[in-house]
Amino acid sequence: MLTLSILGFLAEEPLHAYELRTRISGLSGHVRPVSDGALYPALNRLHKAGFLAREEMPGRGATPRQVLSLTPEGHAELIARLREPADVEITDRNSFLVLLAFLGRLPNPADQARVLRRRLEFMNQPASYFYADGRPLRAAETADPFRKGMLTLAAATSRADRAWLEAMIATLEHESP
Amino acid sequence: MLTLSILGFLAEEPLHAYELRTRISGLSGHVRPVSDGALYPALNRLHKAGFLAREEMPGRGATPRQVLSLTPEGHAELIARLREPADVEITDRNSFLVLLAFLGRLPNPADQARVLRRRLEFMNQPASYFYADGRPLRAAETADPFRKGMLTLAAATSRADRAWLEAMIATLEHESP
DNA sequence: GCTAGCATGTAAACGGTTACATGATTAG
DNA sequence: CTAATCATGTAACCGTTTACATGCTAGC
């Protein structure tokens, strides 16, 4: 998820690590800093892999900026990760939303639709959080008001997400029949 | 989150690790197995810390079951974790939903309300995912349909969650004025 | 003079994933 | 007979968090 965000934001424009960090921090909605201990090692990994180019530039403070940009390989890597997302990015809503943030970078609408369809198929599998005697419990059957709330909220989110996915998939299929 | 789930489920009834695993797996909604490599070490940590008692019992298969139960210290630990959740559990929706699953275990409605209020306060901070020229971008201003969708879905979820939190807090305050 | 912001990093500890390892029972 | 389920664990790897480390500039 961190890697995808890095590649995704750098595909828009070259950035130095500090600026990249503030953008990634915002991706959670509420600004929550990405730890440097995660970001800088990730950047080094991507640089070693040949996905990133660095260029030194004078910064506002004392330390010079390391302006980062995607190499052609880095761009290819981003496209590959968007076309064929890892399981977590389909399965985990937070990860999927981050994926969505960059899915517009995929050039082919059919590929975009395929990704959305994967998510939709996953969501269409019946979900249940609790079991009693081996049978799934519905929200109405739970006495605990917190569990009831949890189930209701999860269901509402799921409904809204599926509706959007279906509408968006229809639009994309209209674009490239 | 794993630790909380372990303590939470064991507070309901003693379970062996295998059964515990299937319950925790269900907590994501869609059954996704908890890796043994995470579960067993976590159980060992909790056992070493004195939160868990083990009792050997014959199982259905060859391997005998290690039936796990909460010690009084384990129960106290659960209550403490519920009363004073870590930041992630307030901040991350998935984690918060897991917390919710066990919040009914807190004996005091005022404590329950305090936790919900913490989440509500966090959610009431204005959220924005993208910035242009330092100003937050609204869904309507985004040209990218995927980002627009992402922002719309996040906003809808946020609205529903806040509404539920407010209603539930009101109910709890009514219970213990 | 001090704090916040700009700007970069490293090291230790922790926890999770993946793969490995074993073995009995039951249903198809 | 073979796959799934029951049942327990370990080891290597990988990435994240937390804490440490440094230093300049701008505004109060």
Side-chain angles (χ1 to χ4, degrees), chain A residues 111-132:
Chain A
D111 284 337
Q112 297 173 332
R114 262 190 51 246
V115 174
L116 298 190
R117 238 180 272 116
R118 248 182 91 189
R119 170 76 178 162
L120 182 60
E121 266 159 40
F122 168 75
M123 296 199 74
N124 277 335
Q125 291 166 212
S128 36
Y129 294 77
F130 302 103
Y131 294 81

Side-chain angles (χ1 to χ4, degrees), chain A residues 12 29 92 94 101 128 147 157, chain B residues 12 29 92-94 101 128 147:
Chain A
E12 290 167 24
D92 176 68
N94 289 343
S128 36
R147 293 205 172 173
T157 297
Chain B
E12 291 168 24
D92 176 67
R93 191 177 188 244
N94 289 343
S128 36
R147 292 207 173 170

Side-chain angles (χ1 to χ4, degrees), chain B residues 23 47 54 62 83 89 99 117 142:
Chain B
R23 305 219 181 173
H47 185 241
R54 289 181 210 254
R83 270 178 59 107
E89 281 145 4
L99 182 72
R117 238 179 274 116
T142 318

Side-chain angles (χ1 to χ4, degrees), chain A residues 115-175:
Chain A
V115 174
L116 298 190
R117 238 180 272 116
R118 248 182 91 189
R119 170 76 178 162
L120 182 60
E121 266 159 40
F122 168 75
M123 296 199 74
N124 277 335
Q125 291 166 212
S128 36
Y129 294 77
F130 302 103
Y131 294 81
D133 315 315
R135 304 201 168 275
L137 265 187
R138 314 184 133 273
E141 296 164 330
T142 317
D144 185 319
F146 299 101
R147 293 205 172 173
K148 200 177 279 194
M150 177 194 174
L151 297 175
T152 314
L153 289 179
T157 297
S158 175
R159 227 176 299 122
D161 284 11
R162 286 194 323 258
W164 180 82
L165 285 169
E166 275 162 15
M168 192 68 205
I169 289 168
T171 307
L172 290 170
E173 278 167 350
H174 194 257
E175 268 177 49

Side-chain angles (χ1 to χ4, degrees), chain A:
Chain A
M1 226 178 86
L2 218 199
T3 302
L4 185 64
S5 310
I6 293 169
L7 296 174
F9 277 123
L10 291 183
E12 290 167 24
E13 57 181 318
L15 298 167
H16 51 104
Y18 189 83
E19 171 65 19
L20 186 56
R21 182 175 55 169
T22 71
R23 305 220 180 174
I24 296 173
S25 297
L27 259 191
S28 62
H30 305 267
V31 183
R32 183 172 2 294
V34 176
S35 63
D36 292 334
L39 181 61
Y40 287 98
L43 292 175
N44 286 329
R45 280 196 298 276
L46 292 171
H47 185 241
K48 251 180 230 162
F51 298 149
L52 261 47
R54 288 180 210 255
E55 201 195 341
E56 194 131 327
M57 283 204 185
R60 207 176 283 272
T63 322
R65 289 172 174 169
Q66 307 275 331
V67 176
L68 302 159
S69 50
L70 281 195
T71 61
E73 294 79 30
H75 192 255
E77 175 72 9
L78 171 63
I79 298 298
R81 280 173 183 262
L82 291 174
R83 270 177 59 105
E84 226 69 63
D87 263 13
V88 224
E89 281 145 3
I90 294 300
T91 277
D92 176 68
R93 191 179 188 242
N94 289 343
S95 305
F96 179 72
L97 289 181
V98 171
L99 182 72
L100 257 197
F102 302 109
L103 201 58
R105 293 264 142 205
L106 263 190
N108 189 349
D111 284 337
Q112 297 173 332
R114 262 190 51 246
V115 174
L116 298 190
R117 238 180 272 116
R118 248 182 91 189
R119 170 76 178 162
L120 182 60
E121 266 159 40
F122 168 75
M123 296 199 74
N124 277 335
Q125 291 166 212
S128 36
Y129 294 77
F130 302 103
Y131 294 81
D133 315 315
R135 304 201 168 275
L137 265 187
R138 314 184 133 273
E141 296 164 330
T142 317
D144 185 319
F146 299 101
R147 293 205 172 173
K148 200 177 279 194
M150 177 194 174
L151 297 175
T152 314
L153 289 179
T157 297
S158 175
R159 227 176 299 122
D161 284 11
R162 286 194 323 258
W164 180 82
L165 285 169
E166 275 162 15
M168 192 68 205
I169 289 168
T171 307
L172 290 170
E173 278 167 350
H174 194 257
E175 268 177 49
S176 78

